[in-house]
Amino acid sequence: KRTRNAVEAIGGTMDRLYHGGGTESCVAFMESYVAIVNAPTYDVPANQQSAYAQYRQAVDFIAGSKVTQIANICLSGGGNIGALDFNEARQAVNTAGSWLTQALAALGL
């Protein structure tokens, strides 16, 4: 649930970054980004492997997507996010969020 919440939060902060919504956006974005890419790993029973696979897929997808490029802009002190990069990152957030929602539903959460 924490990772799903971080994915939802990163979507909002990324929107504010792209559309110029305030100086706090990079800090909030990075908090969510770090929470996602450093999401914990778990040992899970066999009947939860499918949901866990979706969870890990979502985490790895964010880490390998344009979302990381936006994180690099924040880490370098700022800059402009291109429309294509933003759109691809936004799609990655939406896809990862969908996988996490499906994983939680499979677990009955």
Side-chain angles (χ1 to χ4, degrees), residues 30-79:
M30 289 306 298
E31 288 173 353
S32 296
Y33 178 78
V34 168
I36 296 165
V37 298
N38 291 331
T41 57
Y42 300 99
D43 289 324
V44 297
N47 65 340
Q48 295 177 355
Q49 285 295 323
S50 177
Y52 182 71
Q54 285 184 305
Y55 161 77
R56 289 307 314 169
Q57 182 179 17
V59 169
D60 294 342
F61 190 65
I62 290 289
S65 73
K66 291 288 184 177
V67 176
T68 296
Q69 189 168 352
I70 294 171
N72 289 336
I73 290 171
C74 284
L75 289 172
S76 69

Side-chain angles (χ1 to χ4, degrees), residues 5-39:
N5 290 341
V7 168
E8 289 175 355
I10 207 170
T13 59
M14 196 168 59
D15 290 345
R16 287 190 296 280
L17 278 171
Y18 182 68
H19 296 293
T23 57
E24 81 289 346
S25 297
C26 244
V27 171
F29 174 88
M30 289 306 298
E31 288 173 353
S32 296
Y33 178 78
V34 168
I36 296 165
V37 298
N38 291 331

